[in-house]
Amino acid sequence: RSNDAYGRQLSFNAIVSGNDVYVLYTDNKKNKSLSEKEVPEVHIQGYGGYLACVKLDQHGTISKKYLTEIEDFETNFYIRRFVQGDHGNIIYTARKLRRNSIISLEVQ
């Protein structure tokens, strides 16, 4: 949920790597240890959260992984700016307060 027109943390990104599709989104911290039968908590922009990644492989198998906490980013955070890396990773480049950052996260 977002209170502004952009919702930069609430966007999602889909990346195709080989025969796999990775969907990235921000999830509420309370959802990290939910069972399949529990109702997930709503994530609200600006209240932290985890960068989550759901992988769908060529056989239809779905797996979910939490990559990092949003607070770990010492820069502006936009999910749409992640791109596929060359080694089972995703890469994010950003600039904040005259500081350049390159972030690489393993997704496989």
Side-chain angles (χ1 to χ4, degrees), residues 7 9 13 15 22 24 27 30 36 40 48 55 62 73 76 79 84 86 89 92 96-98 102-103 106-108:
Q9 291 180 2
N13 192 350
I15 297 173
Y22 297 88
L24 307 167
D27 200 1
K30 295 177 183 177
E36 290 184 16
K55 175 183 173 184
I62 297 174
F73 288 84
N76 296 323
I79 288 178
Q84 178 183 347
D86 290 335
N89 63 334
Y92 178 88
K96 183 177 181 181
L97 302 174
R98 297 184 183 170
I102 297 175
I103 299 164
E106 184 180 327
V107 293
Q108 293 184 355

Side-chain angles (χ1 to χ4, degrees), residues 5-19:
Y6 300 102
R8 65 178 192 256
Q9 291 180 2
L10 300 181
S11 179
F12 69 93
N13 192 350
I15 297 173
V16 177
S17 178
N19 294 322

Side-chain angles (χ1 to χ4, degrees), residues 16-21 56-59:
V16 177
S17 178
N19 294 322
D20 302 327
V21 177
L56 176 64
D57 71 15
Q58 64 184 345
H59 304 292

Side-chain angles (χ1 to χ4, degrees), residues 12-102:
F12 69 93
N13 192 350
I15 297 173
V16 177
S17 178
N19 294 322
D20 302 327
V21 177
Y22 297 88
V23 178
L24 307 167
Y25 64 95
T26 307
D27 200 1
N28 188 310
K29 290 180 182 182
K30 295 177 183 177
N31 295 335
K32 190 172 181 183
S33 58
L34 286 180
S35 72
E36 290 184 16
K37 296 183 183 199
E38 291 180 283
V39 176
E41 294 288 331
V42 172
H43 173 71
I44 301 171
Q45 178 177 315
Y47 288 89
Y50 282 101
L51 176 59
C53 178
V54 173
K55 175 183 173 184
L56 176 64
D57 71 15
Q58 64 184 345
H59 304 292
T61 304
I62 297 174
S63 59
K64 183 176 180 181
K65 182 176 182 181
Y66 286 93
L67 303 177
T68 189
E69 289 194 43
I70 300 303
E71 289 91 358
D72 289 346
F73 288 84
E74 294 180 5
T75 182
N76 296 323
F77 178 77
Y78 295 90
I79 288 178
R80 295 179 300 268
R81 293 189 182 166
F82 281 97
V83 296
Q84 178 183 347
D86 290 335
H87 306 287
N89 63 334
I90 55 174
I91 300 169
Y92 178 88
T93 60
R95 180 174 173 86
K96 183 177 181 181
L97 302 174
R98 297 184 183 170
R99 181 175 159 208
N100 294 320
S101 299
I102 297 175

